[in-house]
Amino acid sequence: MFNIYQTQSAKIISVDFESVDTKLLRLKFLDRTRQREFDFLPGQFVQIGLPGWGECPISLASSSTQAKNYFELAIRGVGKLTNRLLELEKGDLVEVRGPYGNGFDVDLFKDKPLLLIGGGCGFVPLRPLINDYLAGQMSNTVLQIFYGCQNEENLLFKKEYHLWNRRAELNVILEKPSSKWAGQKGLITDLLKNWKITADSVAVIVGPPVMYRFVISELKKKKVQEENIYLSLERRMYCGLGVCQHCAIGPYYVCQDGPVFRWADIKGIGGVI
Ligand SMILES: Cc1cc2nc3c(=O)[nH]c(=O)nc-3n(C[C@H](O)[C@H](O)[C@H](O)COP(=O)(O)OP(=O)(O)OC[C@H]3O[C@@H](n4cnc5c(N)ncnc54)[C@H](O)[C@@H]3O)c2cc1C
Ligand code: FES
């Protein structure tokens, strides 16, 4: 049993470009037992750091089915630490602790059609759910993926879409695509409006906060139950430690009680989305 508050050294075993500003790092703990016993739920995150640079929360991007051997993080360079992390190469070491957060309780999704709705780089925590589904770990009857992004350059995990399309239904929409884009153009809500969604679906939403209200409104028009809508409020977090109070919503701290919440449980909290 490992202490999740203790950092452990992990080695970068591969680095791949995912988009214009994001790389996918595959990592392995130096301590083999730690790696073998590493386990997490989709939607959980780790704190990754470098001595002298600090640490930051990053969602786990791989499937827990691979966690005995490695884990993956998709990191977007936006500031001091993340840009430094993107300079690292295969063989370099980082410090990792976790996993943290409640993650998605996939037992609650069982045997129902599953809708994954992701916007921008918020899409990352949905990839473990997709990988688990493709690995036969989830009993959902259907998987529909809705992914909205700015343009082709920002799309994540492009190399995997052909695999996702084999067993799931992937729908991508771009807000400002290039003239070469042959797919759909607009906002993610435009996609949802025009798609057949069954009322007994479970919906998982991750993305920029502005997206949530409009997506939930579309889902309600499709008669999806509020009890079956889950969202991650990770963008509300700052310190991630229960100290700064930045993430307080009603009686909850997102960093302590979330980041995943059921819409039915938080819809009455003013300004929550
Ligand atoms: C639960 C959770 C999960 C997350 N998962 C992921 C993930 O999977 N992948 C991912 O990439 N990120 C993820 N993030 C976000 C990530 O933690 C932040 O991007 C990271 O903390 C930024 O750290 P930094 O030191 O690089 O940025 P900082 O230097 O601390 O900068 C913070 C912010 O300030 C802005 N900023 C920095 N420098 C400048 C400047 N010179 N001019 C103007 N603005 C500036 C940037 O926009 C940046 O957003 C997650 C966050 C949370 C809370
Ligand atoms: S993020 Fe600081 S208290 Fe939750």
Side-chain angles (χ1 to χ4, degrees), residues 172-205:
V172 177
I173 192 160
L174 300 181
E175 202 179 333
K176 294 175 188 158
S178 74
S179 54
K180 291 186 197 134
W181 175 248
Q184 310 218 47
K185 186 179 169 190
L187 298 172
I188 197 149
T189 38
D190 300 324
L191 259 186
L192 295 172
K193 263 181 213 153
N194 300 324
W195 233 263
K196 188 171 182 301
I197 289 169
T198 54
D200 62 337
S201 299
V202 170
V204 177
I205 317 168

Side-chain angles (χ1 to χ4, degrees), residues 19-151:
S19 75
V20 65
D21 55 8
T22 305
K23 288 183 183 174
L24 187 69
L25 271 53
R26 183 173 287 186
L27 298 135
K28 197 177 180 91
F29 287 111
L30 289 186
D31 181 334
R32 285 185 191 176
T33 314
R34 173 68 175 121
Q35 187 63 59
R36 222 175 23 248
E37 293 185 2
F38 190 52
D39 198 14
F40 57 87
L41 284 172
Q44 285 193 295
F45 62 94
V46 291
Q47 293 280 357
I48 177 171
L50 288 168
W53 291 83
E55 60 177 8
C56 70
I58 298 287
S59 301
L60 284 147
S62 47
S63 164
S64 59
T65 58
Q66 298 142 340
K68 282 186 173 35
N69 299 314
Y70 63 83
F71 59 100
E72 290 175 330
L73 305 175
I75 300 178
R76 182 171 175 228
V78 297
K80 188 169 157 264
L81 176 60
T82 47
N83 280 318
R84 175 70 191 120
L85 289 168
L86 295 193
E87 289 170 4
L88 300 181
E89 295 174 356
K90 183 177 169 182
D92 286 336
L93 295 182
V94 293
E95 296 299 310
V96 176
R97 58 190 179 91
Y100 300 116
N102 56 354
F104 299 110
D105 184 350
V106 289
D107 282 344
L108 299 172
F109 304 173
K110 263 185 186 161
D111 304 327
K112 297 194 176 114
L114 181 59
L115 307 179
L116 303 182
I117 304 165
C121 63
F123 194 83
V124 173
L126 298 180
R127 184 174 178 250
L129 287 170
I130 299 171
N131 287 349
D132 282 358
Y133 179 83
L134 297 183
Q137 296 293 305
M138 293 175 61
S139 61
N140 302 92
T141 47
V142 179
L143 177 64
Q144 288 177 296
I145 306 163
F146 297 91
Y147 183 14
C149 220
Q150 277 281 312
N151 54 42

Side-chain angles (χ1 to χ4, degrees), residues 176-247:
K176 294 175 188 158
S178 74
S179 54
K180 291 186 197 134
W181 175 248
Q184 310 218 47
K185 186 179 169 190
L187 298 172
I188 197 149
T189 38
D190 300 324
L191 259 186
L192 295 172
K193 263 181 213 153
N194 300 324
W195 233 263
K196 188 171 182 301
I197 289 169
T198 54
D200 62 337
S201 299
V202 170
V204 177
I205 317 168
V206 191
V210 63
M211 185 182 105
Y212 287 10
R213 190 173 316 131
F214 299 105
V215 166
I216 290 171
S217 159
E218 278 311 315
L219 292 175
K220 282 165 79 175
K221 285 183 203 158
K222 306 270 180 186
K223 309 272 185 259
V224 176
Q225 302 296 303
E226 289 177 331
E227 292 73 25
N228 286 335
I229 299 177
Y230 294 83
L231 48 163
S232 176
L233 298 180
E234 59 188 45
R235 301 264 178 121
R236 283 189 163 261
M237 287 168 50
Y238 186 65
C239 73
L241 301 169
V243 175
C244 71
Q245 302 191 353
H246 197 265
C247 69

